Amino acid sequence: MLISFEGLDGCGKSTQIDLTSKILESSGKMVKVLREPGGNRICEKIREVLLDRKNSSMSDETEMLLYIASRAQLVREDIASLLDRGFLVILDRYMDSTTAYQGYGRGVDLETISVLNRLATCGGKYVPDLTFFLDIETERSLSRVTSRGEEINRMESESIEFFDRIRKGFLEISRKDQERVKVINASGSVEEVFGRISEVLKQRELL
Ligand code: TYD
């Protein structure tokens, strides 16, 4: 079983992933969390190139291909064997991030991204069984990013219009694939948001 979490930077994904993995583990499942871009040595190197603010001259196409390259490697090096060994794999971002950020955000051709996402996921074999899109208002997500006190990376230094387009993109992806992608209202307390996620996990008989 493959579960992905998606959302704007600062939507509270990491906290909710942590809670989700703990509750699934306590119900007896073997759980592994992987983050994109990253997760293994090669993917972490690609991550460095992608998020380095010095790389401001990176073209949109290069950016898209690097995210796809990282995904192709993570699927083949980690995800496939973890699933074979019976793990429930939770992904902190996955294929929908490329559609939303590089497609809707940057304006790279959506059809090309769809074809390359298929390639990265072995012809669609490793498309998630369930995806949570944690939705908050763009302004709130950006203010959370700046108040984290961490250095802002190359993606996070983009404009509010960019993130607005990405949010609309995620909502469009959810509308088109309602069976797989669940929109979670990510405003409110950590407990409230986790309550919404737990409900879906129960509906899917994962809890
Ligand atoms: P990260 O610090 O991991 O952000 P977060 O904690 O919000 O996931 O940085 C990953 C950045 O890469 C984030 O801004 C989203 C972006 N991204 C894309 O633009 N396309 C993609 O396909 C993926 C996986 C991430």
Side-chain angles (χ1 to χ4, degrees), residues 6-11 13-14 35-37 47 50-51 63-64 67-68 70-71 92-102 106 117 145 148 150 153-156 162-163 166:
E6 301 280 5
L8 292 180
D9 305 70
C11 68
K13 228 169 1 85
S14 312
R35 74 163 175 181
E36 269 214 1
R47 178 186 175 87
L50 278 165
L51 300 185
E63 180 182 288
M64 182 273 283
Y67 280 113
I68 295 280
S70 169
R71 182 159 312 125
D92 184 343
R93 297 195 181 281
Y94 197 47
M95 44 186 264
D96 301 315
S97 275
T98 310
T99 309
Y101 280 73
Q102 282 64 53
R106 300 276 195 222
N117 259 333
V145 168
R148 275 201 295 231
E150 292 166 14
N153 67 37
R154 194 177 61 85
M155 298 301 291
E156 289 163 347
F162 176 66
F163 289 102
I166 294 166

mmCIF file of all heavy atoms in Angstrom, residues 6-11 13-14 35-37 47 50-51 63-64 67-68 70-71 92-102 106 117 145 148 150 153-156 162-163 166, ligand 1:
data_model
loop_
_atom_site.group_PDB
_atom_site.id
_atom_site.type_symbol
_atom_site.label_atom_id
_atom_site.label_comp_id
_atom_site.label_asym_id
_atom_site.label_seq_id
_atom_site.Cartn_x
_atom_site.Cartn_y
_atom_site.Cartn_z
ATOM 1 N N GLU A 6 0.311 15.453 -0.048
ATOM 2 C CA GLU A 6 0.626 16.582 -0.913
ATOM 3 C C GLU A 6 0.080 17.857 -0.297
ATOM 4 O O GLU A 6 -0.809 17.813 0.561
ATOM 5 C CB GLU A 6 -0.028 16.383 -2.298
ATOM 6 C CG GLU A 6 0.394 15.120 -3.041
ATOM 7 C CD GLU A 6 1.744 15.254 -3.752
ATOM 8 O OE1 GLU A 6 2.412 16.303 -3.592
ATOM 9 O OE2 GLU A 6 2.125 14.314 -4.452
ATOM 10 N N GLY A 7 0.601 18.978 -0.768
ATOM 11 C CA GLY A 7 0.098 20.267 -0.291
ATOM 12 C C GLY A 7 1.140 21.338 -0.495
ATOM 13 O O GLY A 7 2.297 21.037 -0.824
ATOM 14 N N LEU A 8 0.739 22.578 -0.269
ATOM 15 C CA LEU A 8 1.682 23.686 -0.394
ATOM 16 C C LEU A 8 2.723 23.593 0.713
ATOM 17 O O LEU A 8 2.472 22.993 1.770
ATOM 18 C CB LEU A 8 0.939 25.021 -0.255
ATOM 19 C CG LEU A 8 -0.027 25.402 -1.371
ATOM 20 C CD1 LEU A 8 -0.666 26.748 -1.055
ATOM 21 C CD2 LEU A 8 0.680 25.455 -2.719
ATOM 22 N N ASP A 9 3.869 24.225 0.482
ATOM 23 C CA ASP A 9 4.888 24.346 1.521
ATOM 24 C C ASP A 9 4.212 24.987 2.738
ATOM 25 O O ASP A 9 3.450 25.935 2.582
ATOM 26 C CB ASP A 9 6.036 25.239 1.033
ATOM 27 C CG ASP A 9 6.621 24.733 -0.288
ATOM 28 O OD1 ASP A 9 5.953 24.832 -1.319
ATOM 29 O OD2 ASP A 9 7.735 24.226 -0.258
ATOM 30 N N GLY A 10 4.468 24.456 3.920
ATOM 31 C CA GLY A 10 3.912 25.064 5.125
ATOM 32 C C GLY A 10 2.479 24.638 5.442
ATOM 33 O O GLY A 10 1.828 25.229 6.290
ATOM 34 N N CYS A 11 1.986 23.566 4.782
ATOM 35 C CA CYS A 11 0.588 23.156 5.024
ATOM 36 C C CYS A 11 0.456 22.250 6.245
ATOM 37 O O CYS A 11 -0.636 21.871 6.636
ATOM 38 C CB CYS A 11 0.012 22.459 3.792
ATOM 39 S SG CYS A 11 0.776 20.848 3.476
ATOM 40 N N LYS A 13 2.196 19.270 6.508
ATOM 41 C CA LYS A 13 2.367 17.892 6.024
ATOM 42 C C LYS A 13 3.231 17.036 6.949
ATOM 43 O O LYS A 13 2.838 15.929 7.301
ATOM 44 C CB LYS A 13 3.071 17.975 4.667
ATOM 45 C CG LYS A 13 2.469 17.166 3.587
ATOM 46 C CD LYS A 13 3.019 17.471 2.190
ATOM 47 C CE LYS A 13 4.081 18.499 2.003
ATOM 48 N NZ LYS A 13 5.446 18.057 2.183
ATOM 49 N N SER A 14 4.390 17.559 7.334
ATOM 50 C CA SER A 14 5.336 16.735 8.109
ATOM 51 C C SER A 14 4.719 16.262 9.423
ATOM 52 O O SER A 14 4.850 15.088 9.789
ATOM 53 C CB SER A 14 6.602 17.527 8.434
ATOM 54 O OG SER A 14 7.066 18.140 7.292
ATOM 55 N N ARG A 35 10.760 10.826 1.643
ATOM 56 C CA ARG A 35 10.413 12.165 1.197
ATOM 57 C C ARG A 35 10.930 12.425 -0.218
ATOM 58 O O ARG A 35 11.966 11.892 -0.622
ATOM 59 C CB ARG A 35 10.974 13.230 2.138
ATOM 60 C CG ARG A 35 12.466 13.407 2.001
ATOM 61 C CD ARG A 35 12.929 14.694 2.617
ATOM 62 N NE ARG A 35 14.385 14.764 2.577
ATOM 63 C CZ ARG A 35 15.086 15.768 3.058
ATOM 64 N NH1 ARG A 35 14.474 16.756 3.648
ATOM 65 N NH2 ARG A 35 16.392 15.783 2.970
ATOM 66 N N GLU A 36 10.180 13.249 -0.925
ATOM 67 C CA GLU A 36 10.595 13.653 -2.274
ATOM 68 C C GLU A 36 10.785 15.154 -2.340
ATOM 69 O O GLU A 36 9.967 15.878 -1.771
ATOM 70 C CB GLU A 36 9.506 13.272 -3.275
ATOM 71 C CG GLU A 36 9.669 11.923 -3.863
ATOM 72 C CD GLU A 36 9.175 11.912 -5.313
ATOM 73 O OE1 GLU A 36 8.738 12.951 -5.835
ATOM 74 O OE2 GLU A 36 9.217 10.866 -5.901
ATOM 75 N N PRO A 37 11.757 15.667 -3.068
ATOM 76 C CA PRO A 37 12.838 14.875 -3.655
ATOM 77 C C PRO A 37 13.802 14.458 -2.558
ATOM 78 O O PRO A 37 14.030 15.206 -1.622
ATOM 79 C CB PRO A 37 13.495 15.861 -4.626
ATOM 80 C CG PRO A 37 13.222 17.211 -4.038
ATOM 81 C CD PRO A 37 11.907 17.098 -3.349
ATOM 82 N N ARG A 47 18.155 16.538 -4.985
ATOM 83 C CA ARG A 47 17.470 17.512 -4.137
ATOM 84 C C ARG A 47 18.319 18.774 -3.922
ATOM 85 O O ARG A 47 17.831 19.887 -4.008
ATOM 86 C CB ARG A 47 17.128 16.855 -2.784
ATOM 87 C CG ARG A 47 16.448 17.784 -1.794
ATOM 88 C CD ARG A 47 16.274 17.125 -0.431
ATOM 89 N NE ARG A 47 15.727 18.080 0.496
ATOM 90 C CZ ARG A 47 14.433 18.308 0.668
ATOM 91 N NH1 ARG A 47 13.540 17.620 0.010
ATOM 92 N NH2 ARG A 47 14.017 19.227 1.508
ATOM 93 N N LEU A 50 18.201 20.936 -6.892
ATOM 94 C CA LEU A 50 16.881 21.559 -7.077
ATOM 95 C C LEU A 50 16.622 22.707 -6.111
ATOM 96 O O LEU A 50 16.010 23.706 -6.472
ATOM 97 C CB LEU A 50 15.791 20.502 -6.908
ATOM 98 C CG LEU A 50 15.514 19.654 -8.146
ATOM 99 C CD1 LEU A 50 14.695 18.419 -7.780
ATOM 100 C CD2 LEU A 50 14.767 20.487 -9.198
ATOM 101 N N LEU A 51 17.067 22.549 -4.859
ATOM 102 C CA LEU A 51 16.662 23.528 -3.846
ATOM 103 C C LEU A 51 17.703 24.616 -3.583
ATOM 104 O O LEU A 51 17.433 25.570 -2.861
ATOM 105 C CB LEU A 51 16.279 22.803 -2.541
ATOM 106 C CG LEU A 51 15.114 21.806 -2.679
ATOM 107 C CD1 LEU A 51 14.732 21.241 -1.323
ATOM 108 C CD2 LEU A 51 13.896 22.441 -3.336
ATOM 109 N N GLU A 63 14.101 21.701 -14.285
ATOM 110 C CA GLU A 63 13.531 21.478 -12.952
ATOM 111 C C GLU A 63 12.566 20.287 -12.977
ATOM 112 O O GLU A 63 12.650 19.374 -12.157
ATOM 113 C CB GLU A 63 12.802 22.755 -12.517
ATOM 114 C CG GLU A 63 12.162 22.667 -11.156
ATOM 115 C CD GLU A 63 11.422 23.961 -10.825
ATOM 116 O OE1 GLU A 63 12.072 24.982 -10.562
ATOM 117 O OE2 GLU A 63 10.175 23.935 -10.826
ATOM 118 N N MET A 64 11.677 20.289 -13.961
ATOM 119 C CA MET A 64 10.685 19.206 -14.051
ATOM 120 C C MET A 64 11.375 17.858 -14.232
ATOM 121 O O MET A 64 11.057 16.878 -13.562
ATOM 122 C CB MET A 64 9.733 19.518 -15.212
ATOM 123 C CG MET A 64 8.617 18.538 -15.415
ATOM 124 S SD MET A 64 9.068 17.174 -16.457
ATOM 125 C CE MET A 64 9.013 17.925 -18.068
ATOM 126 N N TYR A 67 12.972 16.546 -10.988
ATOM 127 C CA TYR A 67 11.994 15.947 -10.050
ATOM 128 C C TYR A 67 11.570 14.562 -10.536
ATOM 129 O O TYR A 67 11.432 13.629 -9.740
ATOM 130 C CB TYR A 67 10.765 16.855 -9.885
ATOM 131 C CG TYR A 67 10.990 18.014 -8.928
ATOM 132 C CD1 TYR A 67 11.018 19.331 -9.374
ATOM 133 C CD2 TYR A 67 11.170 17.786 -7.565
ATOM 134 C CE1 TYR A 67 11.216 20.395 -8.496
ATOM 135 C CE2 TYR A 67 11.367 18.843 -6.678
ATOM 136 C CZ TYR A 67 11.394 20.134 -7.148
ATOM 137 O OH TYR A 67 11.606 21.169 -6.269
ATOM 138 N N ILE A 68 11.373 14.442 -11.842
ATOM 139 C CA ILE A 68 10.977 13.137 -12.400
ATOM 140 C C ILE A 68 12.123 12.127 -12.238
ATOM 141 O O ILE A 68 11.900 10.963 -11.882
ATOM 142 C CB ILE A 68 10.603 13.278 -13.904
ATOM 143 C CG1 ILE A 68 9.350 14.158 -14.070
ATOM 144 C CG2 ILE A 68 10.433 11.907 -14.558
ATOM 145 C CD1 ILE A 68 8.018 13.511 -13.825
ATOM 146 N N SER A 70 14.439 12.064 -9.950
ATOM 147 C CA SER A 70 14.507 11.654 -8.556
ATOM 148 C C SER A 70 13.428 10.592 -8.253
ATOM 149 O O SER A 70 13.680 9.596 -7.571
ATOM 150 C CB SER A 70 14.326 12.902 -7.678
ATOM 151 O OG SER A 70 14.141 12.541 -6.346
ATOM 152 N N ARG A 71 12.242 10.817 -8.809
ATOM 153 C CA ARG A 71 11.125 9.869 -8.601
ATOM 154 C C ARG A 71 11.437 8.517 -9.227
ATOM 155 O O ARG A 71 11.217 7.472 -8.603
ATOM 156 C CB ARG A 71 9.850 10.463 -9.219
ATOM 157 C CG ARG A 71 8.592 9.629 -9.041
ATOM 158 C CD ARG A 71 7.365 10.501 -9.195
ATOM 159 N NE ARG A 71 7.544 11.681 -8.386
ATOM 160 C CZ ARG A 71 7.456 12.947 -8.847
ATOM 161 N NH1 ARG A 71 7.118 13.180 -10.095
ATOM 162 N NH2 ARG A 71 7.673 13.971 -8.050
ATOM 163 N N ASP A 92 6.162 11.666 1.385
ATOM 164 C CA ASP A 92 6.036 13.097 1.650
ATOM 165 C C ASP A 92 6.288 13.782 0.305
ATOM 166 O O ASP A 92 7.433 14.015 -0.060
ATOM 167 C CB ASP A 92 7.098 13.471 2.693
ATOM 168 C CG ASP A 92 7.001 14.922 3.118
ATOM 169 O OD1 ASP A 92 6.354 15.712 2.406
ATOM 170 O OD2 ASP A 92 7.599 15.258 4.156
ATOM 171 N N ARG A 93 5.228 13.999 -0.436
ATOM 172 C CA ARG A 93 5.215 14.476 -1.833
ATOM 173 C C ARG A 93 5.515 13.333 -2.798
ATOM 174 O O ARG A 93 6.303 12.439 -2.498
ATOM 175 C CB ARG A 93 6.216 15.594 -2.119
ATOM 176 C CG ARG A 93 5.967 16.854 -1.361
ATOM 177 C CD ARG A 93 6.760 18.003 -1.959
ATOM 178 N NE ARG A 93 6.531 19.217 -1.203
ATOM 179 C CZ ARG A 93 5.452 19.973 -1.337
ATOM 180 N NH1 ARG A 93 4.506 19.626 -2.174
ATOM 181 N NH2 ARG A 93 5.305 21.060 -0.618
ATOM 182 N N TYR A 94 4.883 13.460 -3.997
ATOM 183 C CA TYR A 94 5.104 12.444 -5.043
ATOM 184 C C TYR A 94 4.650 13.037 -6.371
ATOM 185 O O TYR A 94 4.737 14.252 -6.571
ATOM 186 C CB TYR A 94 4.326 11.179 -4.648
ATOM 187 C CG TYR A 94 4.716 9.904 -5.355
ATOM 188 C CD1 TYR A 94 6.047 9.519 -5.496
ATOM 189 C CD2 TYR A 94 3.733 9.046 -5.870
ATOM 190 C CE1 TYR A 94 6.387 8.325 -6.116
ATOM 191 C CE2 TYR A 94 4.065 7.851 -6.488
ATOM 192 C CZ TYR A 94 5.395 7.491 -6.606
ATOM 193 O OH TYR A 94 5.720 6.306 -7.228
ATOM 194 N N MET A 95 4.094 12.206 -7.250
ATOM 195 C CA MET A 95 3.841 12.633 -8.631
ATOM 196 C C MET A 95 2.941 13.869 -8.768
ATOM 197 O O MET A 95 3.133 14.686 -9.670
ATOM 198 C CB MET A 95 3.250 11.479 -9.435
ATOM 199 C CG MET A 95 2.171 10.717 -8.691
ATOM 200 S SD MET A 95 1.630 9.268 -9.596
ATOM 201 C CE MET A 95 0.215 9.967 -10.407
ATOM 202 N N ASP A 96 1.964 14.038 -7.867
ATOM 203 C CA ASP A 96 1.057 15.193 -7.996
ATOM 204 C C ASP A 96 1.783 16.520 -7.761
ATOM 205 O O ASP A 96 1.346 17.555 -8.252
ATOM 206 C CB ASP A 96 -0.114 15.067 -7.018
ATOM 207 C CG ASP A 96 -0.896 13.797 -7.264
ATOM 208 O OD1 ASP A 96 -1.175 13.499 -8.439
ATOM 209 O OD2 ASP A 96 -1.214 13.092 -6.289
ATOM 210 N N SER A 97 2.897 16.490 -6.998
ATOM 211 C CA SER A 97 3.659 17.729 -6.796
ATOM 212 C C SER A 97 4.228 18.222 -8.118
ATOM 213 O O SER A 97 4.286 19.427 -8.354
ATOM 214 C CB SER A 97 4.804 17.518 -5.791
ATOM 215 O OG SER A 97 4.342 17.676 -4.476
ATOM 216 N N THR A 98 4.678 17.319 -8.974
ATOM 217 C CA THR A 98 5.230 17.762 -10.264
ATOM 218 C C THR A 98 4.123 18.344 -11.142
ATOM 219 O O THR A 98 4.302 19.376 -11.790
ATOM 220 C CB THR A 98 5.935 16.590 -10.986
ATOM 221 O OG1 THR A 98 6.824 15.962 -10.069
ATOM 222 C CG2 THR A 98 6.731 17.079 -12.183
ATOM 223 N N THR A 99 2.965 17.690 -11.136
ATOM 224 C CA THR A 99 1.835 18.221 -11.920
ATOM 225 C C THR A 99 1.451 19.610 -11.402
ATOM 226 O O THR A 99 1.257 20.544 -12.180
ATOM 227 C CB THR A 99 0.616 17.266 -11.812
ATOM 228 O OG1 THR A 99 1.056 15.948 -12.123
ATOM 229 C CG2 THR A 99 -0.498 17.675 -12.754
ATOM 230 N N ALA A 100 1.376 19.743 -10.073
ATOM 231 C CA ALA A 100 0.930 21.017 -9.501
ATOM 232 C C ALA A 100 2.010 22.103 -9.611
ATOM 233 O O ALA A 100 1.726 23.212 -10.081
ATOM 234 C CB ALA A 100 0.527 20.813 -8.035
ATOM 235 N N TYR A 101 3.248 21.801 -9.192
ATOM 236 C CA TYR A 101 4.302 22.836 -9.158
ATOM 237 C C TYR A 101 4.851 23.147 -10.551
ATOM 238 O O TYR A 101 4.922 24.311 -10.944
ATOM 239 C CB TYR A 101 5.464 22.424 -8.237
ATOM 240 C CG TYR A 101 5.211 22.651 -6.756
ATOM 241 C CD1 TYR A 101 4.326 21.835 -6.051
ATOM 242 C CD2 TYR A 101 5.842 23.662 -6.061
ATOM 243 C CE1 TYR A 101 4.095 22.027 -4.698
ATOM 244 C CE2 TYR A 101 5.626 23.871 -4.702
ATOM 245 C CZ TYR A 101 4.750 23.050 -4.029
ATOM 246 O OH TYR A 101 4.530 23.251 -2.692
ATOM 247 N N GLN A 102 5.282 22.088 -11.278
ATOM 248 C CA GLN A 102 5.899 22.377 -12.580
ATOM 249 C C GLN A 102 4.841 22.570 -13.675
ATOM 250 O O GLN A 102 5.023 23.377 -14.574
ATOM 251 C CB GLN A 102 6.878 21.245 -12.974
ATOM 252 C CG GLN A 102 8.222 21.312 -12.268
ATOM 253 C CD GLN A 102 8.147 21.127 -10.767
ATOM 254 O OE1 GLN A 102 7.566 20.147 -10.295
ATOM 255 N NE2 GLN A 102 8.690 22.059 -10.000
ATOM 256 N N ARG A 106 4.541 26.370 -12.996
ATOM 257 C CA ARG A 106 5.516 26.889 -13.969
ATOM 258 C C ARG A 106 4.968 26.956 -15.389
ATOM 259 O O ARG A 106 5.571 27.580 -16.254
ATOM 260 C CB ARG A 106 6.765 26.000 -14.006
ATOM 261 C CG ARG A 106 7.509 25.874 -12.702
ATOM 262 C CD ARG A 106 8.455 27.031 -12.515
ATOM 263 N NE ARG A 106 9.414 26.744 -11.455
ATOM 264 C CZ ARG A 106 9.765 27.636 -10.547
ATOM 265 N NH1 ARG A 106 9.247 28.846 -10.552
ATOM 266 N NH2 ARG A 106 10.644 27.316 -9.618
ATOM 267 N N ASN A 117 5.545 11.083 -15.627
ATOM 268 C CA ASN A 117 5.167 10.502 -14.334
ATOM 269 C C ASN A 117 4.858 9.013 -14.493
ATOM 270 O O ASN A 117 5.170 8.200 -13.623
ATOM 271 C CB ASN A 117 3.944 11.232 -13.749
ATOM 272 C CG ASN A 117 4.331 12.244 -12.671
ATOM 273 O OD1 ASN A 117 5.357 12.103 -11.994
ATOM 274 N ND2 ASN A 117 3.502 13.258 -12.510
ATOM 275 N N VAL A 145 5.731 29.261 6.294
ATOM 276 C CA VAL A 145 7.081 28.995 5.785
ATOM 277 C C VAL A 145 8.058 30.050 6.295
ATOM 278 O O VAL A 145 9.144 29.722 6.789
ATOM 279 C CB VAL A 145 7.093 28.965 4.233
ATOM 280 C CG1 VAL A 145 8.513 28.983 3.681
ATOM 281 C CG2 VAL A 145 6.367 27.730 3.717
ATOM 282 N N ARG A 148 8.958 29.808 10.064
ATOM 283 C CA ARG A 148 9.675 28.622 10.549
ATOM 284 C C ARG A 148 11.077 28.954 11.025
ATOM 285 O O ARG A 148 11.699 28.179 11.727
ATOM 286 C CB ARG A 148 9.807 27.582 9.423
ATOM 287 C CG ARG A 148 8.598 26.680 9.274
ATOM 288 C CD ARG A 148 8.923 25.381 8.549
ATOM 289 N NE ARG A 148 9.310 25.568 7.169
ATOM 290 C CZ ARG A 148 8.763 24.899 6.136
ATOM 291 N NH1 ARG A 148 7.809 24.032 6.342
ATOM 292 N NH2 ARG A 148 9.183 25.094 4.921
ATOM 293 N N GLU A 150 13.673 28.898 9.283
ATOM 294 C CA GLU A 150 14.712 28.197 8.527
ATOM 295 C C GLU A 150 15.020 28.999 7.266
ATOM 296 O O GLU A 150 14.232 29.831 6.850
ATOM 297 C CB GLU A 150 14.201 26.806 8.097
ATOM 298 C CG GLU A 150 14.008 25.868 9.252
ATOM 299 C CD GLU A 150 13.198 24.631 8.866
ATOM 300 O OE1 GLU A 150 13.017 24.390 7.659
ATOM 301 O OE2 GLU A 150 12.743 23.939 9.788
ATOM 302 N N ASN A 153 14.273 27.999 0.750
ATOM 303 C CA ASN A 153 14.954 27.379 -0.391
ATOM 304 C C ASN A 153 14.496 27.984 -1.722
ATOM 305 O O ASN A 153 13.666 28.885 -1.750
ATOM 306 C CB ASN A 153 14.809 25.848 -0.353
ATOM 307 C CG ASN A 153 13.374 25.377 -0.583
ATOM 308 O OD1 ASN A 153 12.638 25.962 -1.383
ATOM 309 N ND2 ASN A 153 12.991 24.331 0.106
ATOM 310 N N ARG A 154 15.048 27.475 -2.838
ATOM 311 C CA ARG A 154 14.793 28.086 -4.150
ATOM 312 C C ARG A 154 13.306 28.102 -4.490
ATOM 313 O O ARG A 154 12.780 29.092 -5.011
ATOM 314 C CB ARG A 154 15.588 27.331 -5.242
ATOM 315 C CG ARG A 154 15.673 28.053 -6.590
ATOM 316 C CD ARG A 154 16.522 27.276 -7.576
ATOM 317 N NE ARG A 154 15.983 25.956 -7.848
ATOM 318 C CZ ARG A 154 15.043 25.720 -8.765
ATOM 319 N NH1 ARG A 154 14.580 26.682 -9.516
ATOM 320 N NH2 ARG A 154 14.585 24.490 -8.934
ATOM 321 N N MET A 155 12.591 27.017 -4.177
ATOM 322 C CA MET A 155 11.167 26.945 -4.515
ATOM 323 C C MET A 155 10.354 27.894 -3.625
ATOM 324 O O MET A 155 9.434 28.567 -4.077
ATOM 325 C CB MET A 155 10.629 25.512 -4.344
ATOM 326 C CG MET A 155 11.266 24.473 -5.225
ATOM 327 S SD MET A 155 11.103 24.816 -6.994
ATOM 328 C CE MET A 155 9.368 24.576 -7.235
ATOM 329 N N GLU A 156 10.734 27.913 -2.334
ATOM 330 C CA GLU A 156 9.951 28.705 -1.381
ATOM 331 C C GLU A 156 10.082 30.211 -1.603
ATOM 332 O O GLU A 156 9.304 30.985 -1.056
ATOM 333 C CB GLU A 156 10.380 28.355 0.058
ATOM 334 C CG GLU A 156 9.938 26.957 0.476
ATOM 335 C CD GLU A 156 10.678 26.436 1.704
ATOM 336 O OE1 GLU A 156 11.694 27.025 2.109
ATOM 337 O OE2 GLU A 156 10.238 25.400 2.229
ATOM 338 N N PHE A 162 2.440 32.318 -7.850
ATOM 339 C CA PHE A 162 2.941 30.979 -8.185
ATOM 340 C C PHE A 162 2.247 29.942 -7.294
ATOM 341 O O PHE A 162 1.709 28.938 -7.765
ATOM 342 C CB PHE A 162 4.463 30.968 -7.988
ATOM 343 C CG PHE A 162 5.148 29.639 -8.185
ATOM 344 C CD1 PHE A 162 5.182 29.029 -9.436
ATOM 345 C CD2 PHE A 162 5.799 29.017 -7.130
ATOM 346 C CE1 PHE A 162 5.845 27.808 -9.628
ATOM 347 C CE2 PHE A 162 6.467 27.795 -7.313
ATOM 348 C CZ PHE A 162 6.486 27.205 -8.555
ATOM 349 N N PHE A 163 2.215 30.206 -5.985
ATOM 350 C CA PHE A 163 1.617 29.242 -5.062
ATOM 351 C C PHE A 163 0.086 29.167 -5.208
ATOM 352 O O PHE A 163 -0.508 28.124 -4.977
ATOM 353 C CB PHE A 163 2.049 29.545 -3.619
ATOM 354 C CG PHE A 163 3.500 29.225 -3.405
ATOM 355 C CD1 PHE A 163 4.457 30.219 -3.384
ATOM 356 C CD2 PHE A 163 3.913 27.909 -3.282
ATOM 357 C CE1 PHE A 163 5.806 29.924 -3.224
ATOM 358 C CE2 PHE A 163 5.256 27.587 -3.129
ATOM 359 C CZ PHE A 163 6.204 28.605 -3.098
ATOM 360 N N ILE A 166 -0.475 26.769 -7.941
ATOM 361 C CA ILE A 166 -0.207 25.399 -7.481
ATOM 362 C C ILE A 166 -1.404 24.869 -6.678
ATOM 363 O O ILE A 166 -1.846 23.739 -6.866
ATOM 364 C CB ILE A 166 1.079 25.359 -6.628
ATOM 365 C CG1 ILE A 166 2.267 25.699 -7.526
ATOM 366 C CG2 ILE A 166 1.266 24.016 -5.963
ATOM 367 C CD1 ILE A 166 3.524 26.012 -6.769
HETATM 368 P P1 TYD B 1 10.873 20.585 0.968
HETATM 369 O O1 TYD B 1 11.768 21.400 1.835
HETATM 370 O O2 TYD B 1 10.943 19.101 1.066
HETATM 371 O O3 TYD B 1 9.405 21.124 1.135
HETATM 372 P P2 TYD B 1 8.160 20.506 1.878
HETATM 373 O O4 TYD B 1 8.613 20.254 3.290
HETATM 374 O O5 TYD B 1 7.126 21.584 1.732
HETATM 375 O O6 TYD B 1 7.809 19.244 1.127
HETATM 376 O O7 TYD B 1 11.149 21.046 -0.539
HETATM 377 C C1 TYD B 1 10.607 20.418 -1.616
HETATM 378 C C2 TYD B 1 10.210 21.483 -2.600
HETATM 379 O O8 TYD B 1 10.133 20.923 -3.909
HETATM 380 C C3 TYD B 1 8.818 22.059 -2.322
HETATM 381 O O9 TYD B 1 8.864 23.460 -2.493
HETATM 382 C C4 TYD B 1 7.951 21.469 -3.392
HETATM 383 C C5 TYD B 1 8.899 21.226 -4.509
HETATM 384 N N1 TYD B 1 8.534 20.118 -5.430
HETATM 385 C C6 TYD B 1 8.232 20.405 -6.752
HETATM 386 O O10 TYD B 1 8.233 21.585 -7.151
HETATM 387 N N2 TYD B 1 7.943 19.384 -7.608
HETATM 388 C C7 TYD B 1 7.968 18.070 -7.214
HETATM 389 O O11 TYD B 1 7.713 17.145 -8.021
HETATM 390 C C8 TYD B 1 8.277 17.781 -5.829
HETATM 391 C C9 TYD B 1 8.318 16.370 -5.343
HETATM 392 C C10 TYD B 1 8.559 18.840 -4.973
#
